[in-house]
Amino acid sequence: MPEQLRYTAEHEWVEVREGNVLRIGITDFAQNALGDVVFVQLPEANTEVRAGDVVGEVESTKSVSDVYAPLTGKILACNDELSESPELVNSDPYAAGWMFDIEVEDAGSLAALLDAGAYAKLTE
């Protein structure tokens, strides 16, 4: 589990990019629990979202899980490669399997997310 990322209790990771832009994906723990991912629905770019909103879903051979906006902001971009290769969520959840970028209103709200140690305790 990458130490530099922040995490949510809903098993998403958050990477700080430039300025107030964050990259979001699901954790290795989440993709492992889901099993083989066969479909990913992502939000539309330029969509305003509130923290906790359902913005997409991940469908696997076992179940369907929602993807949430970890913070309030605007969706800037989505990983369109996942529509053709949803298995990237399984094979590379912290890099090629990223889901969307969001520009947050308040970068200080990152402090409310879990650090790697707290997320590790959550998933024990």
Side-chain angles (χ1 to χ4, degrees):
M1 157 182 348
E3 291 286 324
Q4 76 277 14
L5 301 179
R6 302 297 283 191
Y7 298 89
T8 71
E10 291 76 28
H11 308 290
E12 292 150 350
W13 56 262
V14 178
E15 176 187 28
V16 177
R17 307 289 281 178
E18 293 182 27
N20 285 359
V21 177
L22 309 175
R23 178 156 284 177
I24 313 300
I26 65 169
T27 65
D28 186 56
F29 177 88
Q31 71 78 23
N32 191 45
L34 283 169
D36 293 335
V37 173
V38 296
F39 176 75
V40 178
Q41 177 190 347
L42 298 173
E44 293 287 326
N46 297 315
T47 302
E48 299 281 340
V49 297
R50 310 273 326 146
D53 285 356
V54 173
V55 295
E57 68 181 29
V58 178
E59 184 177 331
S60 72
T61 54
K62 293 181 184 178
S63 67
V64 176
S65 293
D66 290 330
V67 176
Y68 300 91
L71 300 167
T72 298
K74 180 180 178 182
I75 304 294
L76 295 181
C78 296
N79 185 355
D80 294 331
E81 198 170 333
L82 295 181
S83 62
E84 295 295 320
S85 302
E87 68 278 1
L88 290 171
V89 173
N90 293 118
S91 62
D92 197 3
Y94 296 110
W98 69 277
M99 296 192 170
F100 60 93
D101 289 343
I102 183 172
E103 183 174 29
V104 295
E105 293 176 355
D106 177 16
S109 57
L110 268 172
L113 301 178
L114 304 170
D115 64 18
Y119 183 71
K121 286 181 183 172
L122 177 76
T123 58
E124 284 179 347

